[in-house]
């Protein structure tokens, strides 16, 4: 079972793993900030399990080119990111059986921060509680779930087993 840790502990671990990269998403794509649990990957996209999550089963879709605004992202690339997010949401529904999923593109105008980045990306977050709200899943104030290596491997395997059928 994943472990709930405090926001402060999560921040300490993140800094110990990779410091403060100029672009968190680019550092993840380049495997510079700890383990990456990829579900699917090709030359332009990474579909992965973020290692610090508010809900177990969270998936993230990251375009590999460094893009920070909708004005600079290629429309075909962004359409593909959203198609992969849709596929990821179907996969999450099939494997985790949540009540529903949030699918959101988030970003920070303040720069690199936890759970956000200027680099455009899409979150697919399973919701398990009837009263889950965006403020519950996008804030780290109530703690963060982390998994042991075997828990990540098990979830990654479950997702990969149904990825192509989603």
């Amino acid at each position: 079972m994943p472990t709930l840790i405090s926001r402060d502990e999560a921040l300490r671990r993140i800094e110990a793993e990779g410091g403060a990269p100029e672009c968190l998403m680019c550092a993840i794509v380049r495997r510079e900030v700890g383990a990456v649990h990829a579900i699917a990957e090709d030359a332009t996209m990474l579909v992965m399990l973020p290692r610090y999550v508010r809900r177990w089963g969270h998936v993230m879709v990251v375009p590999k080119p460094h893009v920070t605004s909708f004005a600079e992202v290629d429309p075909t690339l962004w359409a593909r990111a959203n198609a992969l997010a849709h596929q990821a949401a179907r996969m999450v529904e099939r494997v985790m059986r949540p009540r529903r999923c949030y699918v959101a593109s988030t970003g920070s105008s303040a720069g690199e921060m936890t759970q956000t980045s200027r680099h455009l990306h899409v979150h697919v977050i399973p919701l398990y509680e009837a009263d889950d709200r965006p403020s519950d899943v996008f804030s780290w104030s109530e703690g963060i779930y982390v998994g042991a290596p075997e828990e990540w491997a098990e979830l990654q395997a479950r997702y990969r087993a149904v990825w192509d059928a989603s």
Side-chain angles (χ1 to χ4, degrees), residues 60-73:
M60 195 162 58
V61 178
V62 182
K64 287 185 174 180
H66 180 72
V67 290
T68 60
S69 73
F70 289 104
E72 69 186 44
V73 69

Side-chain angles (χ1 to χ4, degrees), residues 61-63 67-70 73 78 105 117-122:
V61 178
V62 182
V67 290
T68 60
S69 73
F70 289 104
V73 69
W78 191 246
S105 174
S117 171
R118 285 186 181 144
H119 188 126
L120 295 177
H121 60 285
V122 182

